[in-house]
Amino acid sequence: MKTREDMTDNVLWRDKAVAFSARSRQELWGKHNEDILAWFFLNGFKNRFIKDKLLGWNRRPKERPSEAWGFPEGTGPLFFPPGIVIPFVEEKHLRKLMIFDHSRPGGSPCHVVPGSAGIPMVFGQDTRRTAVVENIVHGLLLHQEFPENLRVVVPDDPTQVSTVSEIILEDGPSEFLYFPDPLNERSSHPSFETRTYERPEELLDMIRSWVS
């Protein structure tokens, strides 16, 4: 498994990631995109939000030489599975690139592109209430629906919560709830007050009651 520590050129990785993300947006809004746009619509996403968050689509699996992405020679190719491309931009820099396989009903459908920063993804500025959501697509949906009165944190690794705790506490006291990914079989994390749900609609209803 290639990690960010293996890279020899972080700037090259970022340039390649930005270019890949841009091409994925062209694919999303180009030809033969009816099925993926229908998936976004059926799952509650609005076109304006999709564009604002720079979401894209990797239509077919791809392989790229890892050296071209800033890794040492001999580390093998990088694999990019088909799916929804989710870039995470922090302070105007692309820090993380993920690909969500929307065609898989279960398992672990999110691929983190090697070289991405191992950090939680944080959306929203209101620190009074924080929803820690394992599923990245559900986290994005919450941010779309509650942009002004909810902070959403998607942990990099649900088993490592210390960084998430620091984010929650750094701005002072905050109410927070933890929502395990319903697509994965994980137990509730004992460090957080946990709520479970089976469908995104249930998650939205819980958050709506919480912030109202």
Side-chain angles (χ1 to χ4, degrees):
M1 173 67 180
K2 305 174 188 66
T3 67
R4 193 172 183 85
E5 287 70 30
D6 298 326
M7 287 193 302
T8 57
D9 193 333
N10 292 347
V11 175
L12 180 58
W13 183 92
R14 187 169 64 243
D15 290 344
K16 289 292 185 179
V18 168
F20 182 88
S21 178
R23 286 192 296 271
S24 75
R25 292 196 297 278
Q26 292 175 353
E27 284 196 83
L28 176 60
W29 300 106
K31 298 179 180 179
H32 312 297
N33 61 355
E34 294 83 2
D35 289 346
I36 185 64
L37 289 182
W39 183 91
F40 273 114
F41 175 77
L42 292 173
N43 282 273
F45 286 96
K46 302 168 185 174
N47 286 352
R48 183 70 267 164
F49 181 83
I50 296 169
K51 293 178 179 179
D52 287 345
K53 289 300 170 187
L54 308 177
L55 304 184
W57 180 37
N58 190 37
R59 186 180 175 194
R60 296 186 178 90
K62 298 179 177 67
E63 282 192 358
R64 295 290 184 267
S66 58
E67 297 86 350
W69 279 66
F71 288 94
E73 293 185 9
T75 52
L78 292 181
F79 177 67
F80 300 85
I84 297 166
V85 177
I86 306 170
F88 178 56
V89 178
E90 188 178 56
E91 297 180 352
K92 299 183 179 180
H93 292 293
L94 197 157
R95 303 288 309 282
K96 194 170 188 175
L97 194 60
M98 306 174 74
I99 302 177
F100 183 88
D101 185 353
H102 62 288
S103 67
R104 294 173 57 184
S108 180
C110 211
H111 172 79
V112 180
V113 175
S116 296
I119 57 174
M121 303 170 76
V122 182
F123 306 101
Q125 301 299 320
D126 193 320
T127 60
R128 291 173 298 174
R129 296 181 181 87
T130 300
V132 183
V133 186
E134 288 185 2
N135 185 293
I136 176 58
V137 169
H138 297 168
L140 286 170
L141 187 60
L142 283 186
H143 181 47
Q144 173 188 270
E145 296 302 309
F146 306 97
E148 303 297 333
N149 51 359
L150 182 71
R151 177 172 55 178
V152 179
V153 178
V154 181
D156 179 62
D157 181 350
T159 65
Q160 303 292 328
V161 298
S162 58
T163 305
V164 174
S165 299
E166 291 173 5
I167 290 173
I168 292 173
L169 297 174
E170 67 183 1
D171 297 311
S174 172
E175 296 182 47
F176 61 90
L177 293 174
Y178 190 90
F179 297 91
D181 188 348
L183 300 182
N184 292 323
E185 294 183 359
R186 291 197 185 101
S187 60
S188 302
H189 201 284
S191 299
F192 296 95
E193 184 178 350
T194 302
R195 297 286 186 274
T196 59
Y197 64 100
E198 295 184 0
R199 297 178 296 108
E201 294 83 1
E202 297 175 30
L203 174 62
L204 290 172
D205 286 342
M206 283 190 283
I207 297 296
R208 192 172 290 111
S209 298
W210 188 32
V211 302
S212 61

